[in-house]
Amino acid sequence: AGTVSDVSSTLAGDVVLTNAGTYTLCDGTWSVNIDVEADVVLQSANGASVTTLDGAGAGTIVEVASGYSATVDGFTLSDGSGDTLVTFGDGGGAIGCNSATVTLSNSILNDNYGYFGGGIGSLDCDITVTDTSFDGNYGYYGGDLFVEDGLLDGTGIVSTNSEAIYT
């Protein structure tokens, strides 16, 4: 449901997506922190090698609100920083969710930090990860992924250079 929108020209800083639909980004590096408050598909026009969502160390790059679903396809997500003072499961550096559904594919998550999951922090979420690489992510719990009371289905995942303080 919803419409397909190229939001490249307006995507910067803190962005809240409240309209369901498909959002396509053109090639480039976008410094952004996205709050998803609708069922959305975020897709790059030409893939992760040329399209980056850069959290600029200013928060979780994609945060999916309770009850919604987000598909993230074909991005590099880099320099996300999950808040260390948030509720258990909301602290992912690149992607965070609480009671939501997340599908991640054809992406690269690198150099992200999150107290609960450097790459992805999740509480009671259904997460599917396909053909995605994690590199250089750091978390107190879960260098790449932290999943609490949820489901994780993964294929084609590559992990290098991640670090977690506690396992």
Side-chain angles (χ1 to χ4, degrees):
T3 60
V4 176
S5 303
D6 179 349
V7 293
S8 301
S9 64
T10 59
L11 197 64
D14 293 324
V15 175
V16 180
L17 299 179
T18 58
N19 293 320
T22 299
Y23 297 84
T24 302
L25 277 85
C26 294
D27 301 354
T29 298
W30 309 100
S31 294
V32 67
N33 300 99
I34 301 170
D35 289 333
V36 175
E37 297 178 3
D39 295 330
V40 301
V41 174
L42 301 172
Q43 63 187 17
S44 65
N46 294 303
S49 64
V50 293
T51 312
T52 299
L53 300 179
D54 184 340
T60 300
I61 299 169
V62 177
E63 184 76 38
V64 185
S66 178
Y68 295 109
S69 67
T71 296
V72 178
D73 183 27
F75 292 98
T76 293
L77 288 88
S78 185
D79 201 22
S81 178
D83 192 336
T84 61
L85 301 176
V86 297
T87 305
F88 210 52
D90 286 343
I95 297 174
C97 64
N98 189 332
S99 300
T101 301
V102 174
T103 301
L104 174 67
S105 58
N106 307 307
S107 294
I108 300 164
L109 280 68
N110 67 351
D111 300 323
N112 296 289
Y113 165 80
Y115 192 80
F116 295 108
I120 299 173
S122 160
L123 174 63
D124 195 30
C125 295
D126 291 340
I127 300 175
T128 301
V129 180
T130 307
D131 299 327
T132 294
S133 65
F134 294 80
D135 181 56
N137 297 296
Y138 174 83
Y140 276 82
Y141 298 91
D144 287 329
L145 296 159
F146 179 86
V147 177
E148 175 75 19
D149 292 334
L151 300 173
L152 174 64
D153 181 17
T155 57
I157 297 172
V158 176
S159 175
T160 55
N161 303 312
S162 69
E163 184 177 351
I165 300 296
Y166 305 105
T167 55

